[in-house]
């Protein structure tokens, strides 16, 4: 298939995976919203159990999952001062995780939900941005969420950007404004508890708690990336608004293992690239002031580039093999596809004429101005493997040692120039230091091809023109 078709399949699967993450995260977010509203009512309607230290008052207030109103009201009345036996006291003996969920305390799992939804909508946000996100300054003024005209802006810092550009503002949509509002409400009780305790951690947005107390993680990125409970929540069937399956549980399990904020951000970068075919658009979406290709490589995943590199290698090799063996009965023994797909392959990937810029680059090798010409010519990219080196070495060898009576197929004579151009970079002496040296990682491939040459007699036999 064409590269465009392969990219379309990848794009569809990427969209599917991102939709799964967004759908499941949104469902969990709605659960947090529900428990927030429910618990506000329970704080008013629930009965408060006597404190465990007060043994003089008769205890007849039921607790547990069947009496959540009492459980919630009791916890929020005493806060984190119930003691080490809080789960037993509140009727959830041995079920601390369930109790924390019903109390709706902020945990690594829940703040991961908020963070994921925000990064999906605003891929500029990084873990370090969350780390430094202050809701209030030292004087108690709200600085992390501000209104400017009709817009709401979330403000934090990315320290690696330097003092002059560290502050990064995220213009929120109505949807992400609601996410931030709910996040602030979700962490409010924890924030008040920290404020009473003293220190400055209460001023930050991203807080986590358990039954014993509250803290602000000093490494939000690590905390969120190692949240196993968060990842497991994605191991479910997901459905869109039309009740159509997005991702099955079996496939979702594979995806769940790699869901992190950084990977979500990378996925959005790739999604933007596939939609726009613009590295500039990706850089802008990620909040980069300057487009730096080496930085982009960390967001456009290596496995994808490796996949296309291998595709192009196979296509190029098969194209050469076809031209060399198209009249041979051994053609399909040499190719990695069968006769039924030959027409489609030739339509999509058959070799054409040698590009003009390659012709110019070839001639520059032999000119006195070779250094100037090579440096000024348009960049040429060849994907190199050991089998390709073997073919190119064979082409150069049979042409260089040909007799006047040898008549080669036209495609071989054309690709002889490519062979000379590529291989000359691997055979340079000290005199050739003015040339651009080949990449270090390709030299072992070339040396392996040299030590394992093709059978030149057989190769030549198949690339000669034969009269009927």
């Amino acid at each position: 298939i064409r590269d465009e078709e392969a990219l379309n399949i990848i794009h569809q699967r990427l969209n599917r995976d991102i939709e799964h993450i967004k759908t499941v995260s949104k469902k969990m977010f709605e659960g947090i919203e529900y428990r927030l509203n429910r618990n506000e009512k329970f704080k008013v309607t629930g009965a408060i159990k006597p404190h465990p230290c007060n043994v003089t008052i008769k205890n007849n207030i039921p607790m547990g999952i069947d009496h959540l109103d009492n459980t919630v009201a009791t916890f929020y009345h005493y806060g984190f001062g119930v003691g080490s036996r809080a789960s037993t006291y509140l009727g959830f003996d041995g079920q601390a995780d369930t109790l924390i969920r019903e109390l709706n305390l902020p945990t690594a799992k829940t703040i991961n939900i908020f963070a994921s939804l925000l990064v999906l909508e605003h891929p500029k946000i990084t873990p370090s941005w969350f780390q430094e996100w202050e809701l209030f300054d030292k004087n108690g003024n709200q600085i992390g969420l501000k209104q400017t005209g009709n817009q709401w802006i979330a403000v934090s810092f990315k320290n690696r950007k330097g003092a002059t550009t560290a502050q990064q503002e995220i213009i929120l949509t109505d949807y992400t404004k609601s996410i931030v509002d709910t996040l602030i409400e979700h962490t409010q009780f924890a924030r008040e508890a920290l404020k009473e305790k003293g220190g400055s951690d209460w001023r930050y947005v991203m807080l986590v708690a358990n039954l014993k107390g509250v803290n602000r993680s000093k490494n939000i990125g690590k905390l969120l990336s190692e949240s196993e409970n968060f990842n497991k929540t994605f191991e479910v069937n997901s459905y869109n608004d039309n009740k159509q399956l997005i991702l099955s549980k079996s496939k979702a399990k594979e995806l769940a293992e790699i869901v992190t904020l950084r990977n979500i951000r990378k996925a959005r970068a790739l999604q933007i690239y596939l939609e726009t075919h613009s590295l500039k658009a990706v850089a802008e979406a990620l909040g980069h002031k300057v487009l730096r290709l080496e930085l982009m490589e960390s967001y456009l995943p290596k496995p994808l580039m490796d996949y296309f590199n291998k595709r192009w290698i196979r296509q190029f090799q098969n194209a050469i093999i076809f031209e060399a063996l198209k009249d041979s009965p051994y053609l399909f023994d040499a190719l990695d596809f069968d006769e039924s797909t030959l027409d489609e392959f030739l339509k999509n990937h058959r070799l054409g004429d040698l590009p003009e810029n390659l012709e110019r680059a070839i001639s520059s090798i032999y000119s006195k101005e070779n250094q100037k010409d090579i440096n000024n010519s348009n960049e040429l990219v060849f994907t190199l493997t050991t089998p390709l080196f073997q073919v190119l070495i064979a082409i150069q060898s049979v042409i260089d040692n040909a007799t006047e009576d040898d008549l080669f197929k036209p495609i071989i004579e054309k690709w002889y120039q490519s062979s000379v151009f590529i291989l000359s970079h691997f055979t340079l002496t000290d005199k050739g230091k003015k040339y651009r040296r080949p990449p270090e990682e390709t030299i072992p491939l070339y040396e392996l091809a040299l030590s394992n040459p093709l059978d030149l007699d057989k190769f030549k036999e198949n690339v000669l023109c034969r009269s009927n």
Side-chain angles (χ1 to χ4, degrees):
I1 64 175
R2 291 180 180 273
D3 285 351
E4 291 81 2
E5 294 176 66
L7 279 170
N8 186 49
I9 293 170
I10 291 169
H11 196 182
Q12 289 176 357
R13 292 181 180 177
L14 179 67
N15 289 344
R16 177 201 65 187
D17 289 351
I18 290 176
E19 187 179 4
H20 175 80
I21 294 170
K22 184 181 292 187
T23 300
V24 176
S25 297
K26 187 176 180 181
K27 185 176 181 180
M28 291 189 287
F29 167 74
E30 290 170 349
I32 294 170
E33 274 191 314
Y34 165 77
R35 288 189 293 276
L36 273 172
N37 295 327
R38 181 201 67 184
N39 288 358
E40 285 302 309
K41 296 177 182 177
F42 283 169
K43 291 176 188 178
V44 176
T45 61
I48 298 172
K49 182 178 180 178
H51 194 280
C53 295
N54 193 344
V55 296
T56 60
I57 300 178
K58 185 177 180 181
N59 174 22
N60 57 1
I61 306 297
M63 295 280 118
I65 193 68
D66 295 326
H67 305 280
L68 281 176
D69 53 348
N70 298 340
T71 304
V72 170
T74 300
F75 174 83
Y76 281 99
H77 178 76
Y78 297 116
F80 298 98
V82 171
S84 59
R85 299 283 292 169
S87 57
T88 300
Y89 168 70
L90 294 171
F92 283 80
D93 190 21
Q95 303 176 68
D97 288 345
T98 303
L99 175 59
I100 289 172
R101 178 180 183 275
E102 296 301 336
L103 294 176
N104 216 30
L105 296 177
T107 63
K109 175 182 175 180
T110 63
I111 65 170
N112 233 329
I113 295 166
F114 290 97
S116 297
L117 289 171
L118 288 173
V119 170
L120 282 166
E121 299 298 321
H122 305 291
K124 288 182 181 180
I125 300 176
T126 65
S128 64
W129 189 96
F130 283 123
Q131 182 75 55
E132 303 301 325
W133 192 11
E134 294 178 297
L135 184 58
F136 299 100
D137 65 14
K138 295 178 181 179
N139 300 316
N141 300 310
Q142 184 167 302
I143 58 172
L145 179 64
K146 301 187 296 186
Q147 185 174 18
T148 303
N150 294 326
Q151 293 181 327
W152 283 92
I153 301 172
V155 183
S156 185
F157 296 85
K158 293 172 69 173
N159 289 332
R160 288 186 297 175
K161 292 174 73 69
T164 58
T165 57
Q167 180 171 303
Q168 188 173 56
E169 299 180 348
I170 305 297
I171 300 175
L172 301 174
T173 64
D174 290 342
Y175 173 56
T176 53
K177 171 61 164 54
S178 70
I179 293 172
V180 172
D181 286 342
T182 304
L183 172 58
I184 293 172
E185 187 179 356
H186 180 53
T187 54
Q188 183 60 31
F189 185 77
R191 185 170 295 105
E192 293 298 329
L194 274 180
K195 190 173 184 180
E196 290 180 13
K197 189 176 179 180
S200 62
D201 285 349
W202 67 272
R203 298 190 288 108
Y204 291 83
V205 175
M206 307 300 272
L207 304 175
V208 293
N210 55 34
L211 297 173
K212 298 178 182 179
V214 188
N215 70 82
R216 171 183 170 246
S217 173
K218 303 306 179 185
N219 190 337
I220 287 288
K222 182 178 180 181
L223 176 74
L224 300 184
S225 65
E226 295 179 355
S227 177
E228 184 177 348
N229 288 337
F230 173 69
N231 291 79
K232 284 188 176 297
T233 57
F234 291 99
E235 297 179 10
V236 294
N237 293 327
S238 60
Y239 300 88
N240 61 21
D241 293 338
N242 297 322
K243 308 302 180 184
Q244 296 173 322
L245 182 69
I246 299 171
L247 202 63
S248 67
K249 185 176 180 178
S250 60
K251 291 183 178 179
K253 187 174 181 179
E254 298 175 11
L255 174 64
E257 295 175 356
I258 59 171
V259 175
T260 65
L261 289 187
R262 285 188 171 86
N263 284 343
I264 289 174
R265 196 162 177 255
K266 286 183 178 181
R268 284 288 288 120
L270 179 58
Q271 187 181 48
I272 291 166
Y273 180 73
L274 292 174
E275 290 170 354
T276 64
H277 300 287
S278 168
L279 287 176
K280 182 179 179 182
V282 176
E284 290 175 352
L286 295 176
H288 298 166
K289 296 293 184 182
V290 180
L291 173 58
R292 292 166 50 197
L293 292 180
E294 67 272 17
L295 194 57
M296 288 296 97
E297 289 175 357
S298 65
Y299 290 97
L300 302 180
K302 186 176 183 296
L304 181 63
M305 298 312 299
D306 288 345
Y307 165 75
F308 277 101
N309 285 338
K310 290 175 181 177
R311 267 178 60 85
W312 296 326
I313 290 168
R314 292 197 305 272
Q315 291 166 11
F316 181 60
Q317 290 173 335
N318 281 326
I320 286 183
I321 290 170
F322 172 80
E323 293 297 340
L325 301 180
K326 60 184 177 183
D327 299 322
S328 168
Y330 303 107
L331 174 63
F332 292 102
D333 293 330
L335 296 174
D336 63 1
F337 55 87
D338 58 29
E339 191 169 0
S340 64
T341 55
L342 177 61
D343 287 343
E344 185 175 7
F345 177 83
L346 293 177
K347 178 181 177 182
N348 295 336
H349 307 299
R350 188 168 187 171
L351 293 176
D353 293 332
L354 198 67
E356 290 183 8
N357 57 354
L358 181 56
E359 299 269 16
R360 291 195 300 272
I362 294 295
S363 63
S364 73
I365 289 177
Y366 302 104
S367 72
K368 294 181 179 179
E369 300 295 326
N370 53 11
Q371 181 181 12
K372 179 180 178 182
D373 291 343
I374 287 180
N375 289 340
N376 291 337
S377 65
N378 291 333
E379 184 176 275
L380 299 173
V381 178
F382 288 89
T383 306
L384 301 174
T385 65
T386 295
L388 181 58
F389 275 122
Q390 289 174 310
V391 172
L392 296 177
I393 291 170
I395 290 174
Q396 185 175 11
S397 296
V398 298
I399 295 291
D400 286 348
N401 296 291
T403 67
E404 293 182 358
D405 296 330
D406 290 331
L407 180 61
F408 293 97
K409 296 177 180 179
I411 192 66
I412 294 299
E413 294 181 348
K414 289 181 179 179
W415 280 96
Y416 170 75
Q417 298 177 54
S418 299
S419 301
V420 172
F421 176 69
I422 295 171
L423 297 176
S424 64
H425 289 75
F426 292 84
T427 56
L428 298 174
T429 62
D430 290 341
K431 184 179 178 181
K433 286 183 178 178
K434 60 183 67 176
Y435 289 95
R436 183 179 299 171
R437 308 300 297 179
E440 288 293 329
E441 61 270 23
T442 63
I443 294 175
L445 305 179
Y446 170 73
E447 292 176 345
L448 183 59
L450 279 179
S451 60
N452 294 275
L454 300 180
D455 186 319
L456 294 183
D457 291 336
K458 290 184 178 179
F459 186 86
K460 180 178 180 179
E461 181 68 23
N462 284 285
V463 297
L464 288 171
C465 289
R466 298 297 183 189
S467 58
N468 294 331

